[in-house]
Amino acid sequence: GPANIGVVGLAVMGSNLARNLASRIGNTVAIHNRSRGKTDALMSEHPEAGFVPSYDYEEFAASLQKPRTAIIMVKAGAATDSVIDALVDVFEPGDIIVDGGNALFTDTIRREKAVRETGINFVGMGVSGGEEGALLGPSLMPGGSDESWDTLGPILRSIAAIAEGEPCVTHVGHDGAGHFVKMVHNGIEYADMQLIAEAYDLIRRGTGRTPAQIAEVFAEWNEGELESYLIEITAEVLRQVDADTGKALVDVILDQAGAKGTGAWTVQTALNLGVPVSGIAEAVFARSLSSHPEQRAVSGDLPGPAESLSVADPDAFIEDVRLALYASKIVAYSQGFDEIRAGAAEYDWAIDLGAISKIWRGGCIIRAQFLNRIADAYAQTPDLPVLLTAPYFVDALTRSQDAWRRIIATAAGAGIPAPAFSSSLSYYDGLRAKRLPAALIQGQRDFFGAHTYKRIDKPGTFHTLWSGDRTEIEAEDTH
Ligand code: NBP
């Protein structure tokens, strides 16, 4: 066949990715969609792309050079399985099937194993950046085998976003590694957005500034260490005026946040791995709390503090909020990278954490200057156990921790929810603590369940005979 790469699934993501591929020198792109309409529309709207259309899977396979390479961009879940089955029927050993949908990484592990048995390669690939990224340059997180990467690498490098001269793609690791990293990326995105929302709320309620005025604050922040796509678009959203009412758009949008589930996956996976991603979890929970109008309706008259927030020096307060946001952001990223580190250990993936921070610098929603600091940290110490202990972040936390504490105290005093700010600080203080009350938890567990404990002063495992004479005995380690 004439095409060197194919795309199956021509909704917004697939058609944009196909156009991106077609725009690069040397590519001829085969396209297929379950229903004919999207294929025909893409053909007529983009004759310049030179697409090779096909209307069934035999025709699609025949339109591709061997070894065949095809990227699936369909609705994640059962649709992906049905397209994989259809491609496996018409492809041959050595061909490559890439799933660019938002698959759960455990599905990708299962699919990779099943497809590999046919001799066909399967690559689960995280794609970030939404429709614009797909068209102009996404951040790409492919997993799969080294052989697949040999073929795919040059093609993916040619379509990825470029950040500081480097394409935003790397071979993340085997089988489900790419989708795992994409999942954590989305979790970090949830935290980043929630932290920005808390900062906005505090400034608004603390200083009485209008959304348009707060937009200027964010625009200014975007000139400094917080520079990022999310801070930039926050200013744009806050500036927007509703045409119908003349009010700030943010004041007429219903305050119930939606979610497509990848944040919840990040937290569920972290729970399974035993990784405390508390900032990300609070961000997911804050969205769920917002979207229970029936509970909020019956709770509106619950008692709050008598005094509302009054800020004496608005500029100083806003600077405190900025520092609290920065410190909490460091925690969220540190937790996200901790989850990737733990996932890599659990699933035996050789993930280069510094390379991950670099491919997130372009294309994706969490792109930010800040990611360069993460790359620096891992370049200096590749096996850094806790990201926020890198010297640059320690400096930043040293500068911001007083402000962070003031803001959370102020928020609590004034009855303003700041769940991600507060949980991030608790995590930080928990990590720092020389002694944790976990010792008491162990005592309680031993009391009611004979779960045993270890001692600080000698090796071994112990149990106190709580219902007997309360002497201590050596015990089998039962955790
Ligand atoms: P959708 O997620 O809306 O999926 C629509 C596509 O899936 C259509 O091409 C549709 O074909 C096809 N499809 C379905 Br539905 N069931 C099928 C089946 N049983 N067999 C074959 N094809 C089937 O499209 P999208 O928003 O372009 O997203 C594509 C993928 O990219 C998703 O997995 C998404 O999670 C992921 N993603 C999206 C974004 C984003 O910003 N939107 C970002 C990153 C990743 P039809 O035309 O015949 O109905």
Side-chain angles (χ1 to χ4, degrees):
N4 64 315
I5 180 96
V7 176
V8 178
L10 302 175
V12 55
M13 289 296 289
S15 55
N16 280 354
L17 200 69
R19 287 173 57 201
N20 184 350
L21 284 161
S23 73
R24 310 293 159 168
I25 294 164
N27 282 342
T28 302
V29 184
I31 55 172
H32 174 73
N33 192 68
R34 176 181 60 175
S35 53
R36 186 180 180 114
K38 288 194 178 71
T39 311
D40 290 340
L42 192 58
M43 288 303 293
S44 65
E45 283 159 29
H46 294 284
E48 80 288 351
F51 289 128
V52 183
S54 55
Y55 297 96
D56 63 40
Y57 286 103
E58 282 80 12
E59 211 188 329
F60 180 70
S63 68
L64 284 163
Q65 292 162 16
K66 296 180 190 177
R68 301 177 182 87
T69 306
I71 303 177
I72 304 174
M73 287 305 272
V74 301
K75 192 173 158 60
T80 309
D81 282 310
S82 92
V83 175
I84 292 170
D85 289 347
L87 289 177
V88 164
D89 283 346
V90 295
F91 275 21
E92 291 167 310
D95 292 349
I96 303 171
I97 300 173
V98 182
D99 172 23
N102 261 337
L104 181 59
F105 75 97
T106 47
D107 285 340
T108 302
I109 292 174
R110 166 179 63 77
R111 289 167 180 152
E112 199 273 343
K113 197 158 171 269
V115 174
R116 187 171 3 110
E117 279 167 17
T118 69
I120 297 168
N121 298 291
F122 182 78
V123 174
M125 177 169 76
V127 178
S128 178
E131 16 184 316
E132 191 183 293
L135 181 62
L136 302 174
S139 172
L140 297 171
M141 293 154 254
S145 66
D146 297 340
E147 303 87 88
S148 308
W149 173 243
D150 289 342
T151 306
L152 279 176
I155 301 175
L156 298 180
R157 269 196 282 269
S158 77
I159 59 164
I162 305 284
E164 299 181 26
E166 294 172 69
C168 293
V169 57
T170 189
H171 183 211
V172 174
H174 291 167
D175 55 64
H179 276 135
F180 185 95
V181 165
K182 170 63 177 14
M183 172 188 77
V184 175
H185 162 284
N186 285 28
I188 292 173
E189 176 184 312
Y190 274 61
D192 236 338
M193 292 169 70
Q194 175 65 24
L195 292 169
I196 291 171
E198 289 177 18
Y200 152 75
D201 197 29
L202 281 159
I203 295 174
R204 184 133 190 214
R205 292 165 71 168
T207 68
R209 294 195 184 182
T210 64
Q213 289 169 327
I214 301 172
E216 296 316 309
V217 172
F218 280 97
E220 200 184 306
W221 288 0
N222 200 40
E223 305 291 312
E225 61 195 354
L226 279 172
E227 182 192 343
S228 61
Y229 173 72
L230 280 170
I231 295 282
E232 181 191 327
I233 66 159
T234 298
E236 299 282 334
V237 173
L238 290 175
R239 241 178 237 137
Q240 184 71 16
V241 174
D242 175 48
D244 278 0
T245 58
K247 293 181 180 168
L249 179 67
V250 73
D251 286 342
V252 296
I253 296 179
L254 192 65
D255 60 344
Q256 297 172 20
K260 282 194 179 167
T262 47
W265 287 351
T266 309
V267 179
Q268 284 160 349
T269 302
L271 289 171
N272 293 340
L273 291 169
V275 182
V277 295
S278 46
I280 297 172
E282 284 299 344
V284 175
F285 288 139
R287 289 198 196 184
S288 356
L289 188 150
S290 78
S291 51
H292 284 290
E294 70 298 344
Q295 294 183 343
R296 292 173 60 190
V298 298
S299 308
D301 292 329
L302 290 172
E307 298 284 306
S308 66
L309 182 55
S310 82
V311 167
D313 181 345
D315 289 331
F317 178 76
I318 289 171
E319 177 59 6
D320 274 5
V321 172
R322 189 187 70 81
L323 289 166
L325 172 55
Y326 194 53
S328 304
K329 180 178 166 110
I330 291 171
V331 167
Y333 280 70
S334 191
Q335 292 179 343
F337 276 85
D338 193 23
E339 180 163 353
I340 297 176
R341 183 202 51 73
E346 173 71 19
Y347 295 100
D348 212 10
W349 296 318
I351 301 184
D352 175 344
L353 298 175
I356 300 305
S357 68
K358 286 186 176 179
I359 66 168
W360 289 348
R361 292 178 306 177
C364 61
I365 306 299
I366 64 172
R367 61 185 184 259
Q369 266 307 315
F370 180 78
L371 290 159
N372 281 314
R373 307 287 83 75
I374 298 179
D376 294 345
Y378 286 117
Q380 221 161 42
T381 315
D383 56 353
L384 189 66
V386 182
L387 176 59
L388 60 75
T389 62
Y392 177 87
F393 297 121
V394 173
D395 284 350
L397 292 162
T398 306
R399 273 192 291 120
S400 46
Q401 62 133 357
D402 286 341
W404 198 11
R405 295 180 194 287
R406 278 195 297 273
I407 285 298
I408 288 160
T410 304
I416 299 172
F421 274 16
S422 331
S423 73
S424 302
L425 179 61
S426 290
Y427 171 87
Y428 174 74
D429 284 334
L431 271 183
R432 281 189 328 106
K434 297 285 179 277
R435 266 308 269 167
L436 286 169
L440 176 57
I441 306 285
Q442 286 297 81
Q444 293 164 332
R445 294 178 69 239
D446 191 58
F447 187 101
F448 65 67
H451 292 302
T452 76
Y453 50 87
K454 295 191 188 298
R455 297 181 54 103
I456 60 170
D457 52 358
K458 56 184 175 188
T461 301
F462 302 91
H463 168 57
T464 291
L465 299 168
W466 295 104
S467 46
D469 62 2
R470 303 209 164 179
T471 53
E472 182 180 79
I473 59 168
E474 272 218 61
E476 295 263 301
D477 187 352
T478 59
H479 305 290

